[in-house]
Structures are given as C-alpha cells and as structure tokens.
Amino acid sequence: MLADAVPVAVDVDVAVAPAEAASSTAPAQPAAGQPPSARTLLKQLQQQFPTFGKCLPLSIGIDKQLLAKMPELDRKTMRAALGIHTGSLRYLRTMEKATVRYDLDGTAGAAVTDTHRLHAKETLQLRFKKEADRKKAEVDAAKALEADRLRQEKLQMLASKFSRS
C-alpha cells in the first residue's frame, strides 16, 4: 500500500515547465467518463488542501484520507498524482529536513522517521548526480564534435596543399 511505503522518486521535475505548458494547452476538463489526468488532479489537490499547496510532508495513509473526502477519485490517477507530488524536488527537499507529517487539513501528526529523511536525501543526491552526469556527457559530446571538425579541417588543408592542380 502506498501509505506504508517510502515515497518513490519520480523524475518529473527536470521537465516541469514544458509539461505544465503542455497541460495548459490541453482541454480543461477530461472527456465524459474519463478521470482527470494526474497533473490536473494534483493541481486540484494543491488548491483544495493546504498540505499539498504548501508541499508539507504527507501523513502515512494520506491516500485513504483522500478517498474518504473524495470518494469519486480514480485510484490509479490519485496514486499517480501522489507519486508526482512526493517525487518533486520541492517535496523531497522538505522531507529531507522535516520532523512532522501533516494530514489533509494541515494538522501535525506523526513524526518523520530518519529512514524517510535519509531516503529523501539519497533520492535528491541521485537525481543531482544523474543531472550532472547528463550535462557532462553533453559537454563531452560537444568537445568531441569540435575536435572532429578541426581534424577534418586540417585534413582538407593538407589535401589542398599537397594536391596536384
């Protein structure tokens, strides 16, 4: 059950702006009979509940609280929205330093365990390392292209110098 598990990291923050831009061009309401998208649901939760809006650490069992208050929620969409929220950089940074969890109304509840704080810290470190590795690979690829271009240029200069006209 999601409520008992440590939040799972979801790499969505790296491309939040394009995803938000894409979601803003999508229709505001889903087609009849379809549940809203996870991002749409997350925006609704952020507006409706202070815990989501302020990105506070969520209490264990928040999914059950959500279903009790909003029984019409689609479970898969709710879990996806919770995954996006708990995997966000803002939430993980909050969890890294948090001491207390909060329910939907913003009321303080159980303490955040050292295990959960450590998980948030490790997830952030891993995400930052992946981003640094990606940037380094881009720089290395650009350097390799430039070196190849210079090598081709020198070969052409030598070929023109020693070719018989």
Side-chain angles (χ1 to χ4, degrees), residues 46-113:
Q46 288 170 342
Q47 292 171 352
Q48 194 170 350
F49 300 108
T51 306
F52 282 93
K54 296 175 184 175
C55 213
L56 298 173
L58 300 175
S59 67
I60 303 294
I62 199 82
D63 57 336
K64 293 175 186 125
Q65 292 176 27
L66 279 170
L67 287 173
K69 287 201 179 202
M70 305 170 78
E72 73 281 357
L73 278 181
D74 178 62
R75 286 178 185 266
K76 282 186 178 182
T77 305
M78 178 194 62
R79 289 184 185 279
L82 288 172
I84 292 168
H85 181 70
T86 59
S88 70
L89 285 176
R90 185 176 172 203
Y91 184 84
L92 289 170
R93 284 183 174 140
T94 302
M95 278 296 292
E96 189 178 25
K97 297 172 179 77
T99 55
V100 178
R101 293 180 174 275
Y102 297 88
D103 65 9
L104 288 178
D105 300 324
T107 307
V112 176
T113 64

Side-chain angles (χ1 to χ4, degrees), residues 96-150:
E96 189 178 25
K97 297 172 179 77
T99 55
V100 178
R101 293 180 174 275
Y102 297 88
D103 65 9
L104 288 178
D105 300 324
T107 307
V112 176
T113 64
D114 289 338
T115 305
H116 292 163
R117 272 193 295 277
L118 182 63
H119 179 269
K121 182 178 181 176
E122 289 172 350
T123 302
L124 284 169
Q125 287 174 342
L126 179 64
R127 191 171 298 168
F128 292 143
K129 183 182 180 318
K130 281 183 182 178
E131 182 63 17
D133 290 347
R134 185 191 61 77
K135 285 182 180 180
K136 184 181 181 307
E138 283 180 4
V139 168
D140 291 347
K143 285 181 181 178
L145 280 173
E146 181 63 17
D148 189 45
R149 186 188 66 75
L150 289 173

